[in-house]
Amino acid sequence: MTARPSPRLSAYSALVAIGLLGALAARRAELAVLAAPFALVLALGLTARPPQPRVRFVLEGERVLEGDPLRATLEVESADPIDRLELRLALPAGVELVADDLPRAFHLGWGGERSLELELRARWGVWTVGDLRLRARDRFGVLWWEERLERPHRLRVVPRPEQLRALVAPAQTQAATGNEVARVRGEGVEFADTRAFVAGDRVRSINWRASARREQLIVNERHPERNTDVVLFLDSFADAERADGSILGRAVRASATLADLYLRRRDRVGLVTFGGTLRWLEPGAGALQRYRLVDALLETRMRFSYAWKDVNVIPARTLPPRALVIAVTPLLDARAVTALLDLRARGHDLAVVEVPAELFAAPGEEDVEQLAWRLWLLRRETLRARLQAIGVAVSRWDDDAPLDAVLEGVRTYRRHARLARR
């Protein structure tokens, strides 16, 4: 531990100096006697051994849901007595104590130990917790000993998922078995149509009632259950914050919810984080893919960059043919908008969940600022109309709307757009 002088050291040193100099100048031994106790305290305090406390920091878990409290334990023990020990846990900006009742200072006797129970709460992300600051004082208060201890623990806070009743259905399915009802006809559960029996049809597919009415063998046709490839396109070029959240926070929460529910349906899910730093995860299924997606989403951050990026920088295997691409974006950066237009031009099945940037901004008070605000809103409406004109469903995630209602807007548009194309 590093020794620091306390205010008492300066005061006692001044008293001792004044007493000794006064005794010499006035030739009065009484002044030296008065300064002697202070000199003795200084001698004892300056020769005291620095304390050697042992500190352990333990987290109850390394992965927690956003908003849930997480228990932590601070254990301090020392072989030698410590008159006053101050202990502080320095937390990152996204982590806080549920109840700030941590003792500021306490006393440890011979072989003493102390255990402190804490409760932490953090917003989504990856945090390093365990930066401890110690400050001890000897019994005379002459010196302070300070030390910084690092007991790092990696804490991953998973965004709290939204409640969804239905997901966005893809325009085309893949060949593997899944939960999505395909439009083609084959072996499955969902009834599609009836037709005349031909050689090679299975006997169990014969519709005996229809056959009796038509006096010929009639078989049932069904829709098979297939899986689909889903790629989550997360725009991290821009971000804005307010008291109850941020644009990127909403986008990450929506992406985590969609990834979890699609994986539960045995679909293959991939991720493209398109921003200052490009990150991607090829489509996959299973529990391992769920952990990979969550970890990639938790490490998503907005990083400023002037570099121009387009779809060509994304590996081709990340965007397989017939995949459903769901973009979660504020539609603020021209690079992200250009990439979405390029994806649609290449024939990808695209849907957009917009986190409106205007919810995180406010117009100015002057007339020019009000005019600029209205022009900006008009430009954004034009952009949405441009995307919808090429067959891209765009749904705004307003403050008072749950994510399920936003996806219902996407499903409704895609349903009507499909009927119009027919």
Side-chain angles (χ1 to χ4, degrees):
M1 301 184 76
T2 304
R4 304 288 184 188
S6 69
R8 189 174 295 182
L9 175 62
S10 302
Y12 285 4
S13 300
L15 290 175
V16 171
I18 292 173
L20 294 179
L21 292 176
L24 292 174
R27 298 182 180 181
R28 299 292 299 270
E30 294 87 351
L31 295 177
V33 173
L34 291 175
F38 298 102
L40 178 61
V41 170
L42 286 176
L44 294 176
L46 293 175
T47 57
R49 293 189 307 170
Q52 300 294 331
R54 294 181 294 273
V55 182
R56 294 179 64 246
F57 178 69
V58 181
L59 275 181
E60 190 179 50
E62 296 183 353
R63 192 178 294 264
V64 67
L65 194 63
E66 184 180 18
D68 289 350
L70 177 66
R71 294 186 179 275
T73 304
L74 273 172
E75 298 177 355
V76 186
E77 60 180 11
S78 176
D80 299 326
I82 302 177
D83 183 68
R84 180 184 175 89
L85 178 63
E86 298 179 5
L87 181 61
R88 185 170 67 90
L89 176 62
L91 297 173
V95 186
E96 62 180 4
L97 288 172
V98 175
D100 193 5
D101 54 356
L102 180 66
R104 300 297 180 183
F106 48 88
H107 171 79
L108 288 178
W110 293 95
E113 58 183 33
R114 187 77 175 266
S115 180
L116 307 174
E117 299 292 333
L118 309 175
E119 276 195 1
L120 307 177
R121 181 177 287 122
R123 63 179 179 88
W124 69 271
V126 181
W127 311 101
T128 300
V129 184
D131 187 6
L132 303 173
R133 311 295 172 87
L134 274 71
R135 191 179 185 188
R137 189 191 70 180
D138 68 310
R139 59 184 304 180
F140 302 102
V142 175
L143 292 177
W144 287 99
W145 287 280
E146 298 177 352
E147 186 176 9
R148 177 179 179 179
L149 299 177
E150 293 187 358
R151 304 289 186 264
H153 288 267
R154 197 78 164 173
L155 177 61
R156 299 182 182 272
V157 184
V158 181
R160 184 170 293 277
E162 300 284 335
Q163 297 296 325
L164 298 181
R165 294 175 296 177
L167 294 170
V168 178
Q172 301 182 59
T173 55
Q174 304 295 334
T177 303
N179 291 356
E180 184 66 32
V181 177
R183 297 181 186 177
V184 298
R185 298 176 183 181
E187 294 294 330
V189 177
E190 292 290 332
F191 177 78
D193 201 354
T194 60
R195 60 171 175 82
F197 180 87
V198 297
D201 288 337
R202 297 185 179 184
V203 177
R204 65 180 184 181
S205 63
I206 297 176
N207 188 327
W208 296 106
R209 291 186 178 181
S211 301
R213 288 195 301 268
R214 300 185 184 183
E215 297 182 354
Q216 63 173 340
L217 290 178
I218 302 296
V219 297
N220 292 329
E221 288 187 322
R222 302 183 182 277
H223 293 295
E225 288 75 29
R226 302 283 178 84
N227 78 335
T228 184
D229 287 345
V230 180
V231 178
L232 301 173
F233 186 94
L234 181 58
D235 177 8
S236 60
F237 272 117
D239 192 17
E241 294 186 2
R242 61 184 187 186
D244 59 346
S246 64
I247 292 178
L248 191 57
R250 280 195 176 192
V252 169
R253 185 176 297 108
S255 301
T257 301
L258 292 172
D260 182 64
L261 294 181
Y262 275 114
L263 287 173
R264 290 185 185 181
R265 299 196 329 170
R266 295 184 293 176
D267 293 329
R268 298 172 69 244
V269 181
L271 174 68
V272 174
T273 302
F274 198 70
T277 301
L278 175 67
R279 302 186 62 183
W280 67 87
L281 191 63
E282 295 182 5
L288 181 59
Q289 183 72 0
R290 178 180 289 109
Y291 285 113
R292 288 174 177 170
L293 286 167
V294 171
D295 290 343
L297 288 171
L298 292 182
E299 295 176 358
T300 302
R301 292 291 183 270
M302 194 279 290
R303 292 180 174 86
F304 184 76
S305 173
Y306 280 114
W308 181 265
K309 297 181 180 179
D310 54 20
V311 179
N312 293 325
V313 301
I314 304 176
R317 295 177 58 183
T318 308
L319 296 169
R322 298 190 296 176
L324 170 63
V325 181
I326 301 179
V328 188
T329 170
L331 294 177
L332 275 177
D333 197 281
R335 291 167 289 186
V337 175
T338 303
L340 295 178
L341 295 173
D342 196 358
L343 285 175
R344 184 56 182 166
R346 298 186 184 199
H348 287 283
D349 185 16
L350 178 63
V352 173
V353 175
E354 180 194 357
V355 182
E358 51 265 33
L359 299 179
F360 296 83
E365 298 180 355
E366 298 183 2
D367 294 339
V368 176
E369 295 173 336
Q370 293 284 342
L371 179 60
W373 175 263
R374 291 196 296 269
L375 289 175
W376 182 64
L377 294 181
L378 182 60
R379 182 179 179 183
R380 293 183 60 79
E381 288 293 338
T382 304
L383 176 58
R384 297 185 190 105
R386 181 183 178 187
L387 289 171
Q388 291 174 349
I390 60 176
V392 178
V394 181
S395 185
R396 288 165 44 96
W397 190 0
D398 292 323
D399 280 336
D400 55 349
L403 182 59
D404 191 45
V406 179
L407 294 184
E408 180 59 33
V410 173
R411 292 190 294 267
T412 302
Y413 176 87
R414 290 166 64 86
R415 215 164 28 238
H416 290 295
R418 187 160 55 243
L419 291 175
R421 287 196 298 268
R422 291 179 181 176

